[in-house]
């Protein structure tokens, strides 16, 4: 990479030629594919990544138990059939080290690493309206110019920092699941505490309990944890798919979540109560994972239909957890199932039957402070050697804000997003020419298989750049009308959903009047793809070119 950002990267203003066609920020799966794709298109490209290597989420979230909840058949790249054919996944839901190894392999196979500066955070990106390019600066003092700024910074990459009083006084060690250190973190023989029981926390809890001397789980809102039913990869099925990769990719483009999740059986009202129970039993025992959100067609919009599934999940907790008091604390009764992302785990509730695990209900006994020796709640004090924070992310907007992108008027995108993000297709935002927010708010993003999302968006950007080049355009931004109409459409498809009313990191709530902006596009990945195709066919309708 260093060869790319060299002395000649300083722009000779008179030449009016930028250093690069494209600057890519972030080397997760989106950034890896973006660099490969833009290179293929004959564009000059440079990338910056704050971490020491490629991988993104799968680099940073190396906590014990981290694994994907989309099946490995679907959670991979399809752009090169040979890549799909040669890679050997081992499990139905591969663990983090295997996904990280895969992304490293892809980066090497397509010679992507060379284009990235690692350990380098983009700290500023200033639009220059005279030259129609961004001046991108980094925390290491680098400065480059690029015609297009492609943010593959991820929707879940800015972690919420722990800000509990007393943390500085803690004499033990503390770590975050979202930035788990790239070294051995000692769990054996230690008293470990974990705060946060979302998807990450529940995966980590299940594994940490197996090795720690004692694990204390500090739970605020109980979450739904669904059995993954993980197992070895079905090699025969994989090989069958590998023989027809382009067709499999096309198939994914027609699916609501860009992943092959067993489909809905019908409306809940199509079945008798006995049949409903049998269907639920079958899903829980034989399929598991994210298929639980796709059983009855009406479970996302009807409270009654949803209650069938939610109550089944709640009864499962009572069935598995032996101590009824502990079970009642774990029963997820704060919100209906599927209105926040499900945790997909192997043996989460069983963990609370172990002698070395204690559950603390923070709703009944909140944390007051962290002390030198552990955590003090209102009523108790817990001695700990290690505290694990698993507090989630500033999703969608966090990493965009961090990059400090400024337009001609000195504004950041978030200056226009005070009442919720405003985008066209979740990819572009008005007043910020030539800026692309890959898998951004207003696109299917976290509601779909994100490797597929990333590829679809990067391909869309590549198409736009080629179109601009063909027509001699140097500047693109969405029209106000198109952005407003898209924003309204995103809300329109989300409004009937129960999850629109649930407190949830996918919803921006305006505190003054309670109005809501649902951030990902809930109309389904397939519908989104069709809309993109229509827009392309209509000469990129909704965009203004200059
Ligand atoms: P990321 O992987 O987040 O990569 C973004 C990169 O940008 C990071 O490496 C970051 O360091 C870098 N970056 C950010 N800001 C800057 C800056 N200013 N300068 C330089 N570099 C910067 N999705 C699924 O579809 N299925 C799953 O099962 C699934 N499991 C997940 C499990 C966990 C623990 C988490 C956190 C997320 C999971 N996701 C899952 C969502 C996940 O975000 C995507 O699947 C995917 O990995 C995102 O890839 P990305 O390239 O878009 O972003
Ligand atoms: P999350 O779902 O937002 O969970 C954060 C947890 O921290 C919640 O339990 C939250 O409790 C708790 N918390 C936050 N602040 C707290 C405080 N001050 N005191 C006590 N508890 C606090 O975050 P995540 O678990 O990292 O998951 C984020 C997303 O990453 C998921 O939705 C999913 O998209 C993805 N992910 C997927 C997988 C997978 O299976 N493949 C695994 C991990 C992550 P409250 O609910 O009360 O706020």
């Amino acid at each position: 990479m260093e060869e790319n950002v060299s002395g000649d990267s300083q722009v000779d203003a008179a030449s009016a030629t930028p250093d690069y066609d494209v600057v890519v920020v972030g080397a997760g799966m989106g950034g890896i594919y973006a660099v490969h794709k833009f290179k293929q298109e004959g564009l000059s490209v440079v990338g910056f990544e704050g971490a020491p290597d490629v991988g993104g989420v799968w680099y940073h979230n190396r906590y014990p138990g981290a694994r994907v909840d989309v099946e490995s058949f679907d959670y991979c790249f399809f752009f090169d059939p040979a890549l799909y054919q040669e890679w050997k996944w081992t499990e139905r839901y591969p663990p983090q080290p295997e996904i990280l190894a895969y992304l490293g392999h892809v980066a090497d196979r397509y010679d992507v690493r060379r284009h990235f500066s690692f350990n380098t955070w983009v700290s500023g990106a200033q639009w220059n309206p005279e030259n129609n390019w961004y001046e991108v600066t980094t925390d290491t003092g680098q400065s480059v110019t690029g015609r297009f700024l492609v943010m593959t910074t991820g929707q879940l990459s800015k972690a919420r920092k722990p800000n509990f009083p007393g943390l500085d006084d803690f004499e033990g060690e503390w770590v975050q699941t979202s930035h788990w250190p790239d070294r051995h973190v000692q769990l054996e023989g230690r008293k470990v505490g974990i705060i946060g029981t979302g998807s990450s926390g529940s995966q980590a809890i299940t594994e940490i309990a197996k090795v720690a001397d004692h694990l204390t789980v500090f739970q605020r809102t109980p979450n739904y944890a669904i059995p993954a039913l993980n197992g070895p990869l079905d090699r025969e099925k994989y090989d069958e798919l590998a023989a027809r990769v382009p067709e499999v990719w096309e198939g994914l483009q027609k699916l609501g979540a860009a992943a092959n999740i067993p489909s809905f059986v019908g409306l809940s009202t199509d079945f008798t109560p006995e049949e409903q129970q049998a269907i639920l039993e079958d899903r829980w025992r034989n399929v598991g994972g994210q298929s639980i959100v796709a059983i009855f067609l009406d479970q996302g919009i009807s409270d009654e239909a949803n209650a069938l599934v939610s109550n089944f999940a709640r009864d499962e907790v009572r069935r598995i957890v032996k101590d009824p008091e502990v079970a009642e604390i774990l029963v997820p009764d704060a919100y209906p199932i599927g209105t926040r992302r499900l945790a997909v785990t192997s043996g989460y509730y069983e963990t609370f039957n172990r002698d070395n695990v204690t559950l603390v209900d923070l709703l009944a006994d909140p944390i007051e402070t962290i002390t030198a020796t552990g955590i003090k709640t209102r009523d108790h004090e817990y001695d700990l050697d290690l505290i694990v924070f698993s507090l989630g992310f500033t999703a969608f907007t966090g990493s965009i804000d961090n990059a400090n992108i400024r337009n001609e008027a000195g504004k950041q995108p978030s200056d226009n997003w005070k009442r919720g993000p405003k985008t066209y297709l979740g990819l572009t935002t008005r007043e910020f020419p030539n800026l692309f927010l890959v898998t951004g708010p207003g696109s299917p993003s976290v509601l779909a298989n994100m490797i597929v999302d990333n590829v679809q968006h990067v391909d869309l950007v590549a198409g736009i750049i080629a179109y601009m080049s063909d027509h001699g355009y140097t500047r693109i931004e969405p029209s106000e009308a198109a952005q407003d109409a898209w924003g309204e459409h995103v809300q329109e498809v989300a409004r009937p959903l129960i999850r629109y009313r649930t407190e949830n990191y996918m919803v921006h709530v305006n505190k003054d009047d309670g109005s809501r902006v649902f951030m990902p596009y809930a109309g389904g990945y397939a519908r989104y793809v069709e809309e993109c195709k229509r827009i392309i066919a209509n000469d990129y309708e909704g965009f203004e070119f200059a």
Side-chain angles (χ1 to χ4, degrees), residues 18 88 111 134 171 296 351 357 419 436 461 467 472 483 515 533:
K88 307 278 182 236
D111 193 21
Y134 281 95
E171 288 170 1
F296 300 117
T351 301
V357 175
R419 301 191 70 77
F436 296 103
V461 175
Y467 177 87
Q483 178 166 289
S515 61
K533 283 186 186 157

Side-chain angles (χ1 to χ4, degrees), residues 412-422 508-510:
Q412 284 190 277
S414 57
D415 290 327
N416 291 344
W417 293 2
K418 298 253 185 285
R419 301 191 70 77
K422 291 179 181 178
H508 171 100
V509 182
N510 291 311

Side-chain angles (χ1 to χ4, degrees), residues 490-501:
V490 173
Q491 301 318 303
E492 185 185 36
V493 294
R495 260 181 223 117
L497 303 177
I498 307 173
R499 72 188 317 160
Y500 181 79
R501 319 178 226 131

Side-chain angles (χ1 to χ4, degrees), residues 25-32 48-51 53-61 63 66-70 75 103 120-123 151-157 179 199-200 203 341 393 399-400 402-403 438-439 445-446 448-451 454:
V25 189
M29 37 190 52
I32 293 170
F48 295 103
E49 168 55 62
D53 201 357
V54 297
V57 152
W58 302 104
Y59 179 90
H60 293 292
N61 293 257
Y63 58 84
R67 65 173 73 237
V68 69
D69 64 1
V70 172
Y75 197 72
L103 294 175
T120 307
W121 293 97
V122 166
S123 50
M151 300 298 288
T152 48
T153 40
Q155 308 311 314
L156 299 167
S157 72
H179 288 289
S199 304
S200 308
Q203 287 184 333
R341 173 96 174 208
F393 298 85
S399 56
I400 310 265
N402 266 6
V438 172
T439 72
S445 191
V446 297
N449 173 357
M450 289 205 74
I451 193 162
N454 266 293

Side-chain angles (χ1 to χ4, degrees), residues 63 67-69 156 160 164 195-201 203 220-221 340-341 362 390-393 505:
Y63 58 84
R67 65 173 73 237
V68 69
D69 64 1
L156 299 167
R160 270 195 217 116
F164 294 87
I195 307 178
T197 55
S199 304
S200 308
Q203 287 184 333
R220 196 162 63 182
T221 310
R340 292 185 186 182
R341 173 96 174 208
L362 294 181
S390 188
L391 307 175
F393 298 85
Y505 76 80

